[in-house]
Amino acid sequence: MILLGLTLLNNPIAFVVGISIMGFGLFAIRPVVHSWLMDMTPDEMGGSATSLMFGIQSLLAMISPIIGGYLADEYGLISAFYFLGGAMLIANVIVMFLPNEKPAN
């Protein structure tokens, strides 16, 4: 909702400030996700799970601009946004299948 409001602003300074505030909020989510991961995995798998999660995040952050650029060049800019929306939809579906409680040791 905030992002929608920012797109309607005609003031570039307010836009940059608003995006910065949103960035701080998103940066604060990282420790929460890490804590959630540690709560969901058995104690002896915490390091491996952390490595896997951040490794996949880094890999996807590395290849997504390449895929988005290719799609934009071949099919138009809107296809890159559809790709990002589809990736977020897939991530949300995967989250739905995560266990709700920590497995027994």
Side-chain angles (χ1 to χ4, degrees), residues 1-9 14-15 17-23:
M1 192 64 156
I2 295 172
L3 189 57
L4 179 62
L6 288 173
T7 58
L8 300 175
L9 291 177
F15 182 77
V17 170
I19 292 294
S20 299
I21 291 170
M22 285 180 56

Side-chain angles (χ1 to χ4, degrees), residues 8-104:
L8 300 175
L9 291 177
N10 288 331
N11 185 342
I13 294 173
F15 182 77
V16 170
V17 170
I19 292 294
S20 299
I21 291 170
M22 285 180 56
F24 284 125
L26 292 173
F27 183 74
I29 290 175
R30 191 173 179 103
V32 173
V33 171
H34 187 245
S35 176
W36 181 40
L37 171 85
M38 296 304 286
D39 287 343
M40 289 177 47
T41 57
D43 293 338
E44 65 274 1
M45 296 294 291
S48 296
T50 302
S51 175
L52 181 65
M53 181 180 77
F54 290 125
I56 289 174
Q57 281 182 340
S58 297
L59 176 67
L60 293 176
M62 181 179 68
I63 64 172
S64 290
I66 296 168
I67 295 170
Y70 171 78
L71 290 172
D73 289 344
E74 292 295 319
Y75 304 105
L77 187 58
I78 193 71
S79 65
F81 288 103
Y82 281 126
F83 165 68
L84 291 174
M88 293 190 68
L89 182 63
I90 290 169
N92 284 320
V93 169
I94 291 171
V95 167
M96 288 175 43
F97 291 104
L98 292 175
N100 290 332
E101 56 189 46
K102 189 173 184 172

